[in-house]
Structures are given as structure tokens and as C-alpha cells.
Amino acid sequence: MHCLTLVDRILKQQRRLSYADWNFGTIAVKRSLNPELKYPPNRSIRYIRMANNPSSNSSGGNDSRGALVVLEGLDRCGKTTQSSSLHKYLEGLGHPAELWRFPDRTTSVGQMISSYLSNQSQLDDCTIHLLFSANRWEKRSLMESKLKSGTTIIVDRYSYSGVAFSSAKGLDFDWCKAPENGLLAPDVVLYLDIPPEKAAERGGYGGERYEQLEFQMKVRQSYQALHDASWKIIDACQPVKDIEKQLQEIVFKSIETCRKGKSLTCLWSN
């Protein structure tokens, strides 16, 4: 795939999204089963009850949907472990959920990225950044469809990783964000915060291109510039079970909000 063809594809996709009227809040999702979330009296997370009859909610909205939950952080911060655990937890509650990872190495673009990350090929920094972005665009339509159908999507890395890692290489911060405009914005970003030195002590560190201590320090600085109201900062040095409990509670609340009709929005649309 030529870089210019890839760039042209991304830009055309962005233009279509920019001029479209993405009024997600007015699109009714008709489903035979309408999941209803309820907290137990002590507000701990124990179950999600599935109701056969639609029920009203405090916001009066009818556009019940799944939540888009993103896990971010430095390499070896525990994202893969926690995203898998969170996915299994939601499935155990009977809530429709899927686990996605970016890059998605099963696609043609993803295979090029995988070869690069494993040091089997060399690509210009701008080219690989656009490939990462294209990999996310490949899944955008499916992501929107899944969310509208009521499925919650847990995503291990998203656009924030693309911007953080590429800008850490020295690429312009705003330039790195530009190809992501038009992708769906997460309902919550769970950032697993860990000092780079601590991450480097974990097993398997150094197996891929970006797992270098000095570089990870720069990535952490870039992440800090991306924090917004959707981010929840979690201490990734805590015991695994403690982290699991915190993530479950945060995600449960996010799902409840989306079931009440929270509209989908696009990244950095403000």
C-alpha cells in the first residue's frame, strides 16, 4: 500500500464525516431486549439485570447503547490483563461486551504494523503513524454499529496511544491528532499510570520496538497532555485485584449512563 493512497483514503473519510450531520442522539435503537442497569443498595458492582420490557429513565432518552471503554498506558502497565479481566466480568454479568485491541493485527494494514513493531520491517515515522490511524478507521463503522446495538466495547489502546507514541518521536502533536478526527470518542478512558522504571521491571519488557525506558518516559509526558474529563487515572502499581475492582465500578457507571441515552460524539470535536 502506498503512503499517498493511504493518506488520501484517510482524508476522504474525514471530509465525509466532517460534513455529515452526526446527530447520534436522535437515532433510536430498537431492540427486543432492553438491558437495565441497577446498583445494589451499597452501590457495589454485583449484577446487571436484563429486563424484557423497556423502562423509562431519568433523562427521558430512548437511545440506549453500549459504552466505549478505552484502556491506555505505557507498555507493560497491565492493560492487556485488565482489559481481558473486565471483558470476562461483563460477560459474566450477562452484559453484551467485546474486547478489541489496536493495532488490530488481523487486517492487511495491521499486518504491516505488526511487522514494523517486531522489527521485521522499517517505515518512516509519518508513514507508520498514518498506518496506525488507518487501522482504527478500518473498524470505525463496525464499532458504531456494535455500540448502537447495545454492545459495550473494551478497547486495549486507541487514538491516544497513536498520538502519545508518535509525538514522543518528535512529530508535531497537532499533526498526530489530525488523522484521528472523526473517530468515535470513548465514554471513559482508563489510564493505568505506572512509572516507566517500574514498567521496565516487569516480565517480557523490551520485546518490541517501543519498549525502551527513555522513550517510554517521553510517551508518558505526551499522555499527560491528552488528559481530559473522560479520563480516569488508576495507580497501576496496586495489586491486580484492587485495580480490577476500581475499573469494574467505573465502567459499570459508564454503562449505566450510556443506557440512559448518552449521545455518541467524535474525538476532539470541541
Side-chain angles (χ1 to χ4, degrees), residues 3-270:
C3 183
L4 289 179
T5 302
L6 177 63
V7 174
D8 185 62
R9 174 188 169 192
I10 293 174
L11 293 178
K12 284 182 179 178
Q13 227 166 343
Q14 283 185 267
R15 283 197 291 271
R16 287 199 298 270
L17 288 167
S18 297
Y19 295 124
D21 180 15
W22 290 102
N23 189 11
F24 294 104
T26 62
I27 300 175
V29 181
K30 296 180 180 179
R31 305 182 63 210
S32 59
L33 293 178
N34 183 23
E36 177 183 319
L37 305 183
K38 288 191 176 183
Y39 283 112
N42 64 359
R43 299 189 68 83
S44 64
I45 306 171
R46 294 180 185 171
Y47 65 91
I48 297 176
R49 183 166 63 85
M50 305 295 288
N52 289 325
N53 297 318
S55 60
S56 61
N57 56 59
S58 59
S59 67
N62 295 318
D63 298 335
S64 175
R65 65 173 177 85
L68 179 55
V69 179
V70 169
L71 280 80
E72 289 282 4
L74 301 181
D75 290 339
R76 306 295 168 178
C77 69
K79 296 182 313 308
T80 300
T81 297
Q82 291 298 336
S83 58
S84 296
S85 175
L86 189 56
H87 177 232
K88 291 177 182 178
Y89 177 79
L90 292 177
E91 282 193 324
L93 299 178
H95 181 72
E98 291 188 6
L99 174 59
W100 291 20
R101 291 189 174 93
F102 286 112
D104 179 351
R105 306 190 190 206
T106 65
T107 70
S108 56
V109 173
Q111 289 171 12
M112 295 173 66
I113 295 171
S114 182
S115 177
Y116 170 82
L117 290 175
S118 59
N119 291 303
Q120 296 176 14
S121 66
Q122 299 297 322
L123 292 170
D124 173 81
D125 287 343
C126 293
T127 302
I128 190 61
H129 179 78
L130 294 174
L131 285 174
F132 272 111
S133 184
N135 191 231
R136 289 182 281 274
W137 276 101
E138 287 181 301
K139 305 297 287 289
R140 188 207 186 280
S141 295
L142 180 60
M143 177 181 285
E144 182 180 341
S145 176
K146 292 282 188 180
L147 292 171
K148 287 180 178 179
S149 74
T151 299
T152 286
I153 302 178
I154 309 297
V155 184
D156 182 350
R157 292 206 183 282
Y158 196 49
S159 299
Y160 307 97
S161 285
V163 176
F165 279 74
S166 289
S167 60
K169 297 177 183 178
L171 297 182
D172 180 77
F173 192 79
D174 291 332
W175 184 90
C176 292
K177 290 174 67 176
E180 311 297 316
N181 289 333
L183 291 175
L184 297 179
D187 295 295
V188 64
V189 178
L190 305 170
Y191 181 74
L192 301 184
D193 190 28
I194 186 172
E197 299 86 355
K198 290 291 185 181
E201 296 174 359
R202 296 187 170 182
Y205 192 88
E208 287 199 328
R209 182 181 294 265
Y210 295 139
E211 291 180 352
Q212 302 172 21
L213 182 57
E214 184 177 351
F215 180 72
Q216 292 288 314
M217 290 178 177
K218 294 178 181 178
V219 171
R220 194 186 194 198
Q221 292 177 347
S222 294
Y223 266 130
Q224 291 172 352
L226 290 166
H227 289 187
D228 59 33
S230 69
W231 283 52
K232 303 295 182 182
I233 312 301
I234 310 297
D235 181 1
C237 294
Q238 300 177 88
V240 172
K241 292 297 181 182
D242 290 350
I243 298 174
E244 286 179 359
K245 185 176 180 180
Q246 291 178 50
L247 298 188
Q248 289 167 4
E249 183 172 354
I250 293 169
V251 170
F252 190 93
K253 292 177 181 178
S254 181
I255 291 173
E256 183 183 55
T257 300
C258 292
R259 289 301 184 200
K260 291 180 179 179
K262 179 184 177 184
S263 297
L264 283 168
T265 59
C266 293
L267 274 172
W268 303 308
S269 56
N270 296 332

